[in-house]
Amino acid sequence: MPILQVNMMEGRSDEQKEALIHELTEACYRAVGAPRESVRVLINEIPKTQFGIGGQSAKKLGR
């Protein structure tokens, strides 16, 4: 059972996250032949205050 873990900054819509889950599942199916129903995708959303880019928080940078 493949488990794919994604860390990304908060702010994407539910529709975008659904699309990501679908596309990652399909990629795993194609790449390693894992049955789609066995693929697990975990999305960890990181608050913008806890996501650093170039020495500053994403919130401070307006991301």
Side-chain angles (χ1 to χ4, degrees), residues 15-31:
E15 292 79 17
Q16 289 172 313
K17 290 182 272 189
E18 286 288 339
L20 180 60
I21 290 167
H22 174 76
E23 293 297 330
L24 289 173
T25 299
E26 290 300 308
C28 192
Y29 167 75
R30 287 190 307 271

Side-chain angles (χ1 to χ4, degrees), residues 26-42:
E26 290 300 308
C28 192
Y29 167 75
R30 287 190 307 271
V32 299
R36 289 174 181 93
E37 54 277 350
S38 74
V39 177
R40 306 293 188 260
V41 178
L42 307 174

Side-chain angles (χ1 to χ4, degrees), residues 5-63:
Q5 187 167 345
V6 178
N7 294 309
M8 64 184 190
M9 195 176 354
E10 65 184 355
R12 273 49 171 224
S13 69
D14 288 344
E15 292 79 17
Q16 289 172 313
K17 290 182 272 189
E18 286 288 339
L20 180 60
I21 290 167
H22 174 76
E23 293 297 330
L24 289 173
T25 299
E26 290 300 308
C28 192
Y29 167 75
R30 287 190 307 271
V32 299
R36 289 174 181 93
E37 54 277 350
S38 74
V39 177
R40 306 293 188 260
V41 178
L42 307 174
I43 298 176
N44 299 309
E45 291 188 281
I46 302 168
K48 293 179 181 185
T49 56
Q50 297 177 19
F51 196 105
I53 303 168
Q56 296 181 337
S57 72
K59 182 176 182 178
K60 185 174 183 179
L61 293 171
R63 300 273 180 115

